Each structure stands twice: as structure tokens, then as C-alpha cells.
């Protein structure tokens, strides 16, 4: 008889995952650390042009690139003379399910359908669930979304409730879970019971699906500005957004473009805490995902994660919650665009960074997401205030996640704050080696870890000492 | 009372506190892992609190305790945030002022 207790199900994880992906990961598992990342991505048998065709058939991609002239103007007023880069945003909210996640879902489900799966399962905080459900609906496939929604009092924050509603509207069965990482246990059980496809965010298909986003940015910037973008900023959580975009940029020849990650700083809040769960006002694009996933990508639901941000991320900027809400307001009032939370994290970073760059430089914020009931600052902050979180004006630097949200009292308060990349890179290297039992590493492993972290062998060896 | 074919929500305990991993924060490990799912009621009639079966949107048959008949989604736009409205007004005024001083 098959046992369904927590430990038994988790012990079957490798077998369940292998059967539910329709991909052979064996060649990538021979060495505990090193594997051929490009060969993994090579499991996707399509060129970027073919991917674009698959996506265009679902109305995905070819989103507008909008120049934010007023925000650029404002940044220039705050900046020293001659500074203030032009800011552009890619309007990914116009994808079918309202975010760039449609790109990831479409290629994954294209693959799942070809591999003969009748249904798909996704474990997600939300936008991806809606994207998978939307793509499943188009393809006549069944969809189950396992989503972390409530605390132990049965309360969910507006943004999460909205994401769950969106999954339901596309006909998905939504299993709404209370707080806890054992969501993964429930997810594995569903895969085992149904034999459905694991529409993981982290397969090569899910990442290759984002590459056209980076590719389009280059095409559009070439046509509008006549040059490659100098900086592209990606809101970062699990890492697929940045990884896929950066790969697309490179495929379009933008090898000199700086790729920057941005996350909301939620330090001090525990991601598995039933109490902290409803005291954060962003449900993705925050450090609770961003830092652990950057430092250790293989913490996920596939044998090897195809989203590996440290291979591509040149800088990682941290924003306060109040700064992002402020910029969301600025986007509406100065640009006439009401957009959902995730993209505004990068936008806040772009606004601060623009002031350090020359006027003739360019920054592309690579996404927006849809705004709807629950997703606005009004919804999230009304909820926060009712739970005793203070909403103040002042210096965002004083913000304490879970206690207050400080809306800047001046746009000049929005700051560039760098996460220490050396620390992240060192952490990845140490974790990889410790996970394989420690000891001396071969030149192949050293070269792999250097590629993983955009460093060199001497950095890798120094990190291990 | 809910009737056959009503769109309802059920509740189920997936893991009791003692079945949850030790690595969880204390406040999470004290409570069970719960699941809520919606679907069509498969019983002739049922009261809240009854154990019932449902058929979900994709046809899965699940059983659990009936906790709601067509529950509200429960989210909305909230109220305007005066702190943000004021910030918006300031930004608009700033852009209208022609001085370089910000
Ligand atoms: C709209 C949106 N933008 C950005 C992100 C971050 O993407 P990733 O998790 O791939 O880093 C998410 C993911 O949760 C998202 O839903």
C-alpha cells in the first residue's frame, strides 16, 4: 500500500518529479554539483522564432514598450546636471492572463500537450497559476492550482485572494492551503494521484518561454532609440523572470546590457510563519524568495532548476515597500498607467538608478502586471492598516516590515540599495560544495561554479577557504 | 441548508500539528495544515459542518467539511490611502512648478 504521510511522500519526490515532467534529467544528475546548463536549456527543441510563433498563437508577447517621460523628467529634476537616464517600461500586463507569466505557461503547456499529458498542476503564489489555468483552458486541458492563501484564522490578503479568483475564472480547481512549505507535499500528492504534468516554473520550457521578452526589448529599443538598452531591470523572486529575460537579451546580441534584479526588502519576516504571512504587503518579487533562490536555485520542484540568476544578474537592488507603493502612485498620476505590484518594484529601482546615470543612457523596466481588485495599494494597505500596521509619511529608510509602511515624503527618498553580490555568490558556492559532502573540488566543478556565479576559479577557491 | 448542485466550499485538515515538520516556526507548527476547495455539492442536502462530497471544476471528487455555500471572494479595492493620494498631489504640483528645484 502506498503511504501518504509526510515523510513517505517526500521520500518519493524524485520518482514523482521524474514521471511528471516529460523530460530526462538523468544526464544532468551524474555529478552532484556540475552539469551542462546549456545542454539542459537545449532540451527545448525550438528556436526563439518558433517560441514566438507558439506564443503569438495564444496572443502572448509583442507587448508595447512605453517611454515614461514624466518619471524621467522627475528623476532629472532630482539628479545632478546631465544625469537622469530615460526610463522605459514593457507593458507585460497586456498578456492574456495579465502578466509575463503567460509566456512561461504557454511554452510549458505546449510541451505538456505534446508529451501527452491530459492535465497540469502548478504550485504557485498566484500569477503563474492564472497563467497556467488560462493556457490550460485554451488547450482543453485540466488544471489544478495549489496555492498558499490563508493563515490559521482563514484570512488571506487581498492580492492573494485575487490571484486565486483569477485561477478559478479560467476553470482551474484551486486547492487553497494555509501557511506552510508543506504545500509542496500536497502538490506531490496531487501529481501522484492525477498523473498530470508538473507545470513547474523552473523547467527549461518555463525559462525559454521568457526569452522572447528580452529579445523584444532589444528589437524595440533598436527601433525607438537606435541602440541596445544600457540597463534592464527585472523584478526578482524565484529567478525565472531575470534568467529568461537575460538569455533573450543575449540572444538578441545585447551582451553589454547590464541586467539588474530588484526585490522588495522584507527582511525580518519569516516566510513560513503563520503570523508574518499577512504582515507582508507584497506576495512576490520580495527578498523572502529572491535571496534564497539567488543563493540556492535547486531548492525547487525540478531536479535541476533552469532559472539560475547568478549566471546573469550584475546587480541586485532592494526597495522598501513604501517606495514601491509611492512609485505605483506616481505611475498612475504622472504617466496615466495603473498597473499591479510586481513591475513597480523594478520601476522604483529604475527611478533611483536613473538619477546616477547620464541623460543619454536608457533603462528598461521589463514588465508591468495587471491591476484589479485586491492588487492595488488601496486594497493591500487598507488590509494592512486594519491589522495594526502603521502607514506613515517620511523616510523609507526607517521602514520596519510587518510594523509600518513609510510612504516617502519626497521622491528624493527613493534610494539605490545594493545587495552584496559577493555574499550571494559565496553562499551559492559554499552551499553547492557542502551539499555534495564537502572536500576538494575538481577543476570541472570549479569552472562550473565560476560560471554559476559569473566569477572565476580563484574566486571559487577563495570562497571555499 | 445547501442542496445538490450548489457551488460550495469544503475544508479539510491535510496535516495535524504533530505531523508537520520540526523545522517550521513555532507559530506555524502549533496549527494544522488546512485546505479549502470549491466545487458542486454531491449530496441531496447538507448543513454547514457536515462532511460532504463535491465535484470540483475539473471533475475531481473530494470530501471534507462543508464550510460555505457560494462564499464571497472577499477582496475588493479597499479604501483610498490618503498618504498616497497626498503624495500623488505633491508629484503633480512638483511637475507643474517650472523651477529646477525639486
Ligand atoms: C508579475 C510577476 N513579476 C515578477 C515575478 C518574479 O518572477 P520570478 O519568480 O521568476 O523571479 C513574478 C513571480 O512571482 C510575477 O508574478
Amino acid at each position: 500500500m502506498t503511504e501518504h504521510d509526510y515523510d513517505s511522500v517526500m521520500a518519493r519526490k524524485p520518482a514523482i518529479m521524474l514521471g511528471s515532467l516529460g523530460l530526462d534529467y538523468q544526464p544532468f544528475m551524474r555529478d552532484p554539483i556540475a552539469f551542462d546548463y546549456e545542454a539542459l536549456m537545449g532540451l527545448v527543441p525550438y528556436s526563439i522564432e518558433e517560441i514566438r510563433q507558439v506564443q503569438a498563437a495564444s496572443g502572448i508577447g509583442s507587448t508595447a514598450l512605453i517611454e515614461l517621460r514624466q518619471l524621467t523628467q522627475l528623476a532629472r529634476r532630482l539628479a545632478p546636471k546631465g544625469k537622469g537616464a530615460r526610463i522605459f517600461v514593457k507593458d507585460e500586463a497586456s498578456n492574456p492572463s495579465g502578466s509575463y507569466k503567460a509566456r512561461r505557461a504557454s511554452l510549458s503547456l505546449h510541451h505538456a500537450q505534446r508529451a501527452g499529458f491530459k492535465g497540469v498542476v502548478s504550485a504557485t503564489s498566484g500569477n503563474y497559476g492564472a497563467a497556467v489555468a488560462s493556457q490550460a483552458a485554451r488547450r482543453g486541458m485540466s488544471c489544478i492550482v495549489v496555492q498558499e492563501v490563508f493563515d490559521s484564522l482563514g484570512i488571506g490578503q487581498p492580492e492573494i485572494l485575487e490571484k486565486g479568483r483569477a485561477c478559478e475564472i479560467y476553470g482551474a480547481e484551486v486547492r487553497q492551503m494555509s501557511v506552510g512549505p508543506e504545500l509542496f507535499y500536497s502538490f506531490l500528492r496531487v501529481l501522484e494521484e492525477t498523473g498530470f504534468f508538473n507545470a513547474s516554473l523552473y523547467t527549461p520550457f518555463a525559462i525559454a518561454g521568457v526569452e522572447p521578452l528580452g529579445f523584444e526589448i532589444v528589437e524595440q529599443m533598436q527601433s525607438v532609440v537606435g541602440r541596445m538598452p544600457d540597463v534592464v531591470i527585472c523584478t526578482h523572486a524565484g529567478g525565472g523572470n531575470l534568467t529568461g529575460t537575460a538569455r533573450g537579451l543575449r540572444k538578441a546580441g545585447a551582451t553589454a546590457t547590464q541586467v539588474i534584479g530588484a526585490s522588495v526588502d522584507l527582511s525580518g519576516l519569516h516566510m513560513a510563519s503563520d503570523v508574518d504571512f499577512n504582515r507582508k504587503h507584497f506576495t512576490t518579487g520580495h527578498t523572502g524568495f529572491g535571496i534564497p533562490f539567488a543563493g540556492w536555485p535547486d531548492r525547487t520542484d525540478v531536479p535541476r532548476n533552469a532559472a539560475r540568476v547568478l549566471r546573469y544578474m550584475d546587480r541586485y537592488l532592494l526597495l522598501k515597500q513604501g517606495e514601491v507603493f509611492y512609485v505605483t502612485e506616481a505611475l498612475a498620476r504622472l504617466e496615466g498607467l495603473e498597473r499591479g505590484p510586481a513591475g513597480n518594484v523594478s520601476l522604483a529601482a529604475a527611478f533611483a538608478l536613473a538619477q546616477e546615470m547620464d541623460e543619454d543612457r536608457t533603462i528598461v523596466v521589463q514588465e508591468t502586471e495587471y491591476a484589479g481588485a485586491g492588487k492595488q495599494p488601496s486594497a493591500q494597505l487598507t488590509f494592512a492598516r486594519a491589522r495594526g500596521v502603521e502607514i506613515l509619511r517620511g523616510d523609507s529608510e526607517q521602514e520596519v516590515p510587518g510594523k509600518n509602511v513609510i510612504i516617502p515624503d519626497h521622491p528624493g527618498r527613493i534610494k539605490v540599495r545594493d545587495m552584496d553580490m559577493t555574499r550571494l555568490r559565496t553562499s551559492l558556492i559554499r552551499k553547492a560544495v557542502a551539499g555534495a559532502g564537502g572536500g576538494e573540488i575538481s577543476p570541472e566543478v570549479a569552472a562550473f561554479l565560476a560560471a554559476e556565479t559569473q566569477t572565476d576559479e580563484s574566486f571559487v577557491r577563495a570562497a571555499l577557504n | 441548508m445547501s442542496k445538490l448542485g450548489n457551488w460550495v466550499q469544503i475544508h479539510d485538515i491535510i496535516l495535524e500539528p504533530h505531523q508537520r515538520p520540526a523545522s517550521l516556526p513555532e507559530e506555524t507548527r502549533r496549527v494544522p495544515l488546512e485546505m479549502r476547495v470549491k466545487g458542486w455539492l454531491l449530496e441531496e442536502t447538507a448543513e454547514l459542518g457536515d462532511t460532504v462530497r463535491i465535484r470540483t471544476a475539473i471533475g475531481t471528487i473530494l470530501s471534507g467539511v462543508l464550510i460555505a455555500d457560494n462564499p464571497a471572494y472577499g477582496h475588493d479595492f479597499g479604501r483610498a490611502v490618503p498618504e498616497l493620494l497626498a503624495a500623488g498631489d505633491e508629484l503633480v504640483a512638483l511637475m507643474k512648478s517650472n523651477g529646477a528645484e525639486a
Side-chain angles (χ1 to χ4, degrees):
Chain A
M1 202 194 107
T2 316
E3 298 291 338
H4 294 310
D5 64 279
Y6 183 78
D7 290 333
S8 307
V9 172
M10 295 306 276
R12 292 198 296 277
K13 172 180 153 180
I16 298 172
M17 290 198 308
L18 279 182
S20 63
L21 286 161
L23 286 175
D24 182 11
Y25 280 86
Q26 289 308 338
F28 309 100
M29 306 307 291
R30 284 190 197 115
D31 183 276
I33 300 176
F35 69 97
D36 185 341
Y37 175 59
E38 285 306 328
L40 178 70
M41 289 306 298
L43 293 178
V44 177
Y46 312 117
S47 68
I48 203 154
E49 270 317 315
E50 290 167 318
I51 295 172
R52 291 175 83 173
Q53 279 165 23
V54 167
Q55 296 184 332
S58 294
I60 291 168
S62 300
T63 55
L65 183 76
I66 305 173
E67 181 161 14
L68 303 179
R69 294 176 202 275
Q70 291 247 86
L71 279 176
T72 300
Q73 219 31 62
L74 181 62
R76 286 180 181 169
R77 284 189 178 211
L78 301 169
K81 200 168 161 41
K83 300 281 179 192
R86 291 167 70 181
I87 305 170
F88 296 79
V89 68
K90 186 115 170 94
D91 203 19
E92 289 292 297
S94 63
N95 281 304
S97 55
S99 78
Y100 92 96
K101 288 276 170 75
R103 297 181 185 262
R104 284 169 94 160
S106 70
L107 204 62
S108 298
L109 268 61
H110 178 78
H111 162 68
Q113 200 170 27
R114 292 195 142 200
F117 288 93
K118 297 275 176 276
V120 298
V121 191
S122 151
T124 153
S125 73
N127 284 324
Y128 185 61
V132 170
S134 146
Q135 287 299 307
R138 284 187 68 83
R139 294 168 188 280
M141 299 173 85
S142 294
C143 176
I144 299 177
V145 176
V146 187
Q147 191 198 8
E148 188 182 51
V149 178
F150 302 107
D151 64 14
S152 59
L153 301 172
I155 296 171
Q157 59 184 293
E159 192 191 342
I160 296 220
L161 295 180
E162 165 53 21
K163 288 171 166 180
R165 184 206 61 84
C167 297
E168 284 184 8
I169 220 67
Y170 298 121
E173 170 185 313
V174 185
R175 303 205 180 188
Q176 301 186 306
M177 311 299 297
S178 59
V179 178
E182 311 104 299
L183 181 145
F184 192 58
Y185 156 84
S186 296
F187 174 69
L188 290 175
R189 284 202 59 185
V190 174
L191 284 175
E192 211 171 30
E193 283 161 16
T194 59
F196 284 178
F197 176 71
N198 169 6
S200 163
L201 280 157
Y202 304 108
T203 62
F205 288 92
I207 302 312
V210 188
E211 291 176 5
L213 205 176
F215 205 89
E216 288 172 24
I217 287 174
V218 173
E219 288 178 341
Q220 288 168 309
M221 288 299 282
Q222 290 282 22
S223 124
V224 176
V225 184
R227 285 196 294 114
M228 301 280 181
D230 294 301
V231 168
V232 172
I233 310 191
C234 310
T235 298
H236 165 59
N241 190 31
L242 189 144
T243 302
T245 301
R247 290 179 60 84
L249 290 169
R250 288 193 185 174
K251 286 189 177 174
T255 46
T257 299
Q258 240 202 339
V259 179
I260 299 183
S263 295
V264 172
D265 185 354
L266 290 189
S267 41
L269 296 179
H270 195 302
M271 291 308 125
S273 162
D274 186 63
V275 174
D276 290 351
F277 182 66
N278 277 325
R279 301 190 77 80
K280 49 188 202 275
H281 319 303
F282 287 81
T283 64
T284 188
H286 58 66
T287 52
F289 295 130
I291 292 177
F293 271 95
W296 188 239
D298 290 320
R299 50 175 60 253
T300 179
D301 58 351
V302 289
R304 292 288 193 197
N305 188 347
R308 310 187 81 83
V309 278
L310 289 189
R311 287 178 171 256
Y312 300 99
M313 186 154 83
D314 298 311
R315 285 173 82 175
Y316 186 17
L317 303 181
L318 304 187
L319 286 304
K320 303 293 180 187
Q321 299 185 93
E323 292 176 321
V324 181
F325 287 126
Y326 184 90
V327 165
T328 305
E329 176 76 18
L331 183 67
R333 295 294 292 271
L334 299 182
E335 302 288 351
L337 295 170
E338 185 190 26
R339 293 294 183 270
N344 298 333
V345 179
S346 307
L347 181 59
F351 180 72
L353 187 66
Q355 297 166 46
E356 296 183 353
M357 292 167 59
D358 291 343
E359 273 184 357
D360 62 350
R361 305 276 103 184
T362 59
I363 303 179
V364 177
V365 171
Q366 56 74 266
E367 63 154 331
T368 58
E369 71 170 296
Y370 82 101
K375 288 216 172 194
Q376 289 83 1
S378 60
Q380 286 291 85
L381 290 178
T382 298
F383 180 83
R385 214 192 294 266
R387 304 179 72 75
V389 173
E390 279 190 293
I391 319 290
L392 307 167
R393 297 292 305 276
D395 180 358
S396 309
E397 213 54 66
Q398 308 298 320
E399 186 173 284
V400 182
K403 290 213 158 44
N404 59 30
V405 172
I406 304 186
I407 310 295
D409 54 11
H410 189 273
R413 295 279 200 195
I414 302 173
K415 290 272 154 40
V416 173
R417 277 179 221 92
D418 273 285
M419 171 80 201
D420 182 353
M421 293 296 291
T422 302
R423 208 181 100 197
L424 281 177
R425 290 171 172 143
T426 303
S427 146
L428 183 146
I429 292 163
R430 288 190 181 154
K431 184 118 189 177
V433 174
E440 277 302 301
I441 57 167
S442 65
E444 292 74 35
V445 167
F448 173 81
L449 291 173
E452 283 274 280
T453 50
Q454 298 191 76
T455 59
D456 53 28
E457 284 197 34
S458 64
F459 181 94
V460 172
R461 296 205 182 270
L464 291 170
N465 281 323
Chain B
M1 190 180 67
S2 301
K3 292 198 180 122
L4 181 74
N6 281 16
W7 183 250
V8 299
Q9 185 178 42
I10 60 167
H11 175 270
D12 194 15
I13 303 278
I14 304 299
L15 294 171
E16 294 288 355
H18 72 272
Q19 297 171 311
R20 304 193 73 171
S23 56
L24 292 182
E26 171 59 31
E27 65 269 28
T28 312
R29 201 148 50 96
R30 249 197 327 252
V31 295
L33 180 71
E34 304 165 88
M35 178 174 83
R36 291 168 172 79
V37 191
K38 292 179 208 162
W40 306 105
L41 184 64
L42 294 178
E43 317 294 339
E44 280 308 320
T45 62
E47 300 290 343
L48 298 187
D50 289 353
T51 297
V52 300
R53 288 170 315 131
I54 62 166
R55 183 167 40 80
T56 70
I58 66 161
T60 314
I61 310 288
L62 293 171
S63 73
V65 174
L66 182 67
I67 55 167
D69 194 312
N70 196 7
Y73 284 112
H75 62 294
D76 57 19
F77 295 92
R79 293 166 192 268
V81 182
E83 293 83 354
L84 278 176
L85 282 182
D89 289 352
E90 290 158 20
L91 285 168
V92 170
L94 191 60
M95 294 306 288
K96 283 192 176 142
S97 71
N98 47 17
E101 204 278 319

